[in-house]
Amino acid sequence: MNHTIQNFGLELANTLKNTVGARDHYTKEHSDRVAEYAKLFGTHLELDEEDLKTLILAADFHDIGKIGISDSVLLKEGRLTDEEYTKIKLHPIISVNILAGSETFKDAIPAVRHHHERIDGRGYPDGLKGEQIPRLARILSICDTFDAITSRRVYREQMTIEDALLEIDRVKDAQLDKELAEIFIEFVRTNLDTINKVMAKKQ
């Protein structure tokens, strides 16, 4: 019975994720790639089976809350105003509110909620700092950042892998966990064929 309930929760979340994708192809495809990067990087970090499963689940649904963001903000081609940015920053909380209804996502919720926190405490939604941020959220944040930088958006061209790694190196210990960022950079540089295969799935 519990297995059936868990499957239902996962199917419902997938339906909502696909609904977001119908409005904004980038968000769904981004989440799919981030989940793949999370699986690869989490395996490289030798996370135990449960943590790896939790990380992948969090990565797959970390942006599901964007279903609650209006099209005028979510699909805007230009730079967001301060008011619009305030609205977009609500998506981790909306994601948690959606996923909290299913036991399936219980362990993934902290990573989902905190994947936009920053090591220097200037992130959102809670302004956590350093190791206050759950480790899985810190891992997810790096994978999320890497895909965002290397993806083409309507308002800018995608950056190269090397440019993305240089940017990650630049913001380590401010936005991203320094130790994890350095491991990620080395991981990507030594696994370029695998990373390129994931990137090839872009729209």
Side-chain angles (χ1 to χ4, degrees), residues 93-203:
I93 296 174
I94 299 172
S95 296
V96 168
N97 289 341
I98 291 171
L99 301 176
S102 172
E103 185 73 12
T104 303
F105 296 97
K106 179 184 68 174
D107 295 334
I109 281 176
V112 172
R113 181 180 181 95
H114 298 300
H115 72 277
H116 278 296
E117 304 287 359
R118 291 172 51 110
I119 294 299
D120 60 11
R122 297 171 58 196
Y124 61 89
D126 300 311
L128 300 186
K129 184 176 183 179
E131 292 189 2
Q132 293 177 335
I133 306 168
R135 186 166 187 256
L136 294 186
R138 285 179 271 149
I139 296 170
L140 174 55
S141 180
I142 293 171
C143 297
D144 184 40
T145 299
F146 177 76
D147 188 72
I149 294 173
T150 56
S151 295
R152 182 182 182 278
R153 303 305 305 276
V154 293
Y155 50 84
R156 66 161 174 79
E157 292 297 318
Q158 68 187 72
M159 296 172 66
T160 66
I161 290 176
E162 187 58 29
D163 284 340
L165 296 182
L166 290 173
E167 179 64 12
I168 286 173
D169 186 66
R170 186 183 71 82
V171 300
K172 70 184 182 185
D173 214 22
Q175 177 183 338
L176 304 173
D177 181 291
K178 180 179 179 180
E179 180 181 359
L180 289 171
E182 290 176 347
I183 296 172
F184 181 81
I185 290 168
E186 181 63 22
F187 162 72
V188 171
R189 285 179 174 158
T190 55
N191 292 275
L192 286 176
D193 286 346
T194 302
I195 298 300
N196 275 311
K197 287 179 183 177
V198 178
M199 290 182 65
K201 299 178 182 181
K202 294 182 187 300
Q203 184 180 10

Side-chain angles (χ1 to χ4, degrees), residues 5-57:
I5 293 173
Q6 286 185 353
N7 283 342
F8 176 75
L10 191 58
E11 289 174 5
L12 179 59
N14 269 308
T15 298
L16 293 175
K17 179 184 171 185
N18 289 334
T19 301
V20 177
R23 295 168 59 207
D24 177 21
H25 294 298
Y26 168 79
T27 296
K28 181 184 183 302
E29 292 165 359
H30 164 71
S31 295
D32 290 343
R33 289 189 302 271
V34 172
E36 292 197 53
Y37 292 136
K39 180 179 181 180
L40 292 168
F41 188 42
T43 300
H44 179 75
L45 291 170
E46 299 183 339
L47 297 182
D48 64 43
E49 183 178 353
E50 283 305 308
D51 279 349
L52 182 60
K53 179 181 176 182
T54 298
L55 175 64
I56 296 168
L57 194 63

